[in-house]
Amino acid sequence: MLRFVSNIDMIEKMEYHTKFAHQSGKMTDVFDGLHYRCLCTTHVTVDRTTLPHKFFSQDTDIAMGISTDGFCPFKCRKQTCWPIIAFNYNLPPEIHFHHSNILCLGVIPGPKQPKDMDSFLTPLINEFLELAHGVAAFDRKRLRTFMLHAYLILAFGDMPAVAKLLLMKGHNGLCPCHACEILGVRDTTSGSTTHYTPLHRFDSPSYDPRCLPLCTHSGLLLQAIHIEEAATDAEAERRSKKYGIKGVPALSHLSSISLPTSFPHNLMHLLENIIPKLVSLWTGDYKRLDTGTESYRIPDNIWKAIGEACAGSGATIPSVFGCRVPNLWENRSHFIAESWMLFASFIGPTVLHRRFTRPAYYKHFISL
C-alpha cells in the first residue's frame, strides 16, 4: 500500500476514485454499489471501538478487494494450490485486473485444499485492522505526509471458495447458499447424499426467485455465535447443519465487510457451471440420463470434429481474447472456467450451428 502512494504515476491513476461521481440508476463500478455508499456515511470500527473518521472520508483512502480459488498447477490435476490476490479499486475499472496492478498476497501450497482458510487470512486481516486506524505515509506527488487508510470491501471467488471464506458448509449442504436461506433437498431414491435446490417442489413450499428469503449480516453472525456457544461438538454440528455455517468467519472482524453483501456471486462461474452440463447432455453422458422424448444428443463423430476445431482455434484467435481452448472431445478435463467461457462466447456459436436436429436447442444455447 505504501508503494502505491510513493509512485507518482500510480497516485495519478488512483485519483480515478476521487473524481468518480455516482449517477443515480447507473451501475458502472463498485463505487456505485449500495455497500460502498453506505460505508461512506459510517464511522470505522476496530475491535468494537468506534474511530472518529468515516470510511473513505479522505481522498487518499483505498478500496480493496480480494479473491481466491483453487487451481491445479499440473495436468494430472491431483494437486491443488490456492493463491490469494488483491485488487485496488481506486484504479480505473479497465486496469483493475492488469497483472501489474494485482497484488499476490500469498499462495496456500496444498497439495489438498485448505481446511482452515481463516488461519491463512489472519495476517492479512491484522494488516487491514492496522490500516483502518491509519498508517503514516508520504505522498510523493504533493510532498506531504498523511495517514493512509485502506479498507477491504469485497471478497469473491466461485461457490466453494466463498464457502471457505465464510466458513459455510458449501454448495452441497442443507442450507447451501451464502446469500439466501433456501433449503436443499436430496434425491432419496438414488441414495445420493448431495443436496439440490429446485425452486419448484412437489412435497414442500416452492420458492419465488424474485422473493427469496435473503440472509442478513446480523442473522448470519447470530447463527455463527449460536454454533460456537454449543455445549457439545454434536450439538454444534447439528446447528451447523441447520444453518449451513460452521462458525464466525475471520473476515467479519473487519467493519468494512458486510455479510453476505461483500461476497457477491461470480457471474463467470455461474455460466461456466452451466456450459459443461449442457455439453454433457449433448454428448449423452450426463448422469446416465437418456434424451427421453427429446433429440438434443449430437453424434460422436460430430463431437470429434468439434473437438479438433476447438484445439485448432488457438492458431487463429489472438491471445488477448484468452487462453487456448483444449480439444473438447479428447481433453474435456483440461477445460477451466476461462476455456468454457471462450467456447460459449466465440467458438460454440459457430461449431454448434446446424448440429442439432431441432433449431430450438441451438437458439436456447445462443440465448444464454
Side-chain angles (χ1 to χ4, degrees):
M1 300 291 179
L2 293 174
R3 290 189 177 183
F4 283 161
V5 296
S6 64
N7 184 299
I8 295 178
D9 180 60
M10 180 62 73
I11 292 173
E12 292 176 347
K13 290 178 180 177
M14 289 170 57
E15 289 175 350
Y16 160 82
H17 167 241
T18 306
K19 300 173 183 177
F20 184 87
H22 169 67
Q23 298 182 42
S24 180
K26 289 188 177 182
M27 185 69 67
T28 61
D29 202 353
V30 293
F31 304 125
D32 286 311
L34 183 60
H35 176 52
Y36 169 80
R37 291 189 284 121
C38 287
L39 285 175
C40 291
T41 61
T42 306
H43 282 273
V44 178
T45 302
V46 177
D47 295 330
R48 299 183 180 180
T49 300
T50 302
L51 303 182
H53 59 277
K54 295 180 180 180
F55 290 100
F56 305 106
S57 55
Q58 298 179 174
D59 292 343
T60 53
D61 291 353
I62 302 176
M64 300 293 297
I66 63 169
S67 177
T68 186
D69 196 3
F71 77 98
C72 301
F74 309 109
K75 286 187 177 181
C76 66
R77 303 183 70 83
K78 292 182 179 179
Q79 296 181 333
T80 181
C81 59
W82 290 64
I84 302 174
I85 54 180
F87 308 101
N88 180 355
Y89 289 124
N90 282 36
L91 296 171
E94 59 269 20
I95 62 173
H96 276 171
F97 306 112
H98 285 190
H99 286 170
S100 58
N101 298 325
I102 292 176
L103 299 176
C104 182
L105 305 177
V107 178
I108 304 172
K112 297 182 179 180
Q113 58 182 319
K115 292 185 177 180
D116 184 7
M117 181 66 78
D118 282 355
S119 64
F120 297 97
L121 294 175
T122 298
L124 173 64
I125 293 170
N126 290 337
E127 288 204 20
F128 273 115
L129 290 174
E130 185 178 356
L131 285 163
H133 280 286
V135 175
F138 183 74
D139 187 335
R140 286 285 303 276
K141 181 178 180 180
R142 299 170 183 82
L143 302 178
R144 63 181 178 86
T145 58
F146 68 100
M147 295 301 289
L148 173 66
H149 301 94
Y151 307 106
L152 180 65
I153 62 173
L154 292 176
F156 57 92
D158 61 7
M159 289 189 69
V162 170
K164 289 189 175 296
L165 292 173
L166 286 175
L167 293 186
M168 302 288 292
K169 281 287 190 179
H171 58 285
N172 286 330
L174 177 63
C175 190
C177 184
H178 69 275
C180 74
E181 297 177 347
I182 190 171
L183 296 178
V185 294
R186 284 183 180 177
D187 179 9
T188 55
T189 58
S190 67
S192 172
T193 59
T194 301
H195 288 88
Y196 299 92
T197 54
L199 294 174
H200 302 287
R201 309 182 181 200
F202 297 104
D203 55 353
S204 60
S206 295
Y207 290 91
D208 182 351
R210 296 163 298 183
C211 189
L212 292 171
L214 300 179
C215 298
T216 64
H217 181 83
S218 58
L220 286 172
L221 287 182
L222 286 174
Q223 291 174 351
I225 293 171
H226 190 225
I227 293 168
E228 295 189 349
E229 291 177 344
T232 64
D233 290 343
E235 177 60 18
E237 177 58 28
R238 188 192 67 80
R239 296 178 184 180
S240 178
K241 181 179 179 181
K242 175 184 177 182
Y243 298 137
I245 192 170
K246 301 176 185 177
V248 178
L251 286 174
S252 66
H253 294 291
L254 299 175
S255 58
S256 57
I257 291 290
S258 175
L259 310 179
T261 307
S262 293
F263 301 83
H265 287 292
N266 191 317
L267 178 62
M268 180 188 73
H269 282 92
L270 288 176
L271 293 176
E272 184 263 336
N273 289 336
I274 293 173
I275 303 302
K277 289 179 172 56
L278 283 176
V279 171
S280 294
L281 279 171
W282 298 334
T283 55
D285 57 3
Y286 182 73
K287 298 188 176 182
R288 291 181 271 182
L289 293 177
D290 58 30
T291 57
T293 59
E294 301 292 336
S295 55
Y296 49 75
R297 191 176 186 278
I298 298 175
D300 291 351
N301 64 316
I302 295 179
W303 275 117
K304 290 180 182 178
I306 290 175
E308 292 173 358
C310 289
S313 65
T316 56
I317 296 179
S319 61
V320 69
F321 285 93
C323 65
R324 293 180 71 97
V325 178
N327 187 310
L328 183 57
W329 177 252
E330 296 179 356
N331 301 312
R332 203 187 311 176
S333 63
H334 293 178
F335 269 67
I336 59 176
E338 185 180 8
S339 309
W340 285 116
M341 291 299 293
L342 287 172
F343 173 78
S345 303
F346 301 115
I347 302 173
T350 299
V351 298
L352 293 175
H353 185 56
R354 295 183 178 178
R355 298 298 190 182
F356 295 101
T357 56
R358 291 177 54 190
Y361 302 132
Y362 179 75
K363 291 179 180 178
H364 291 165
F365 167 66
I366 296 300
S367 296
L368 289 175

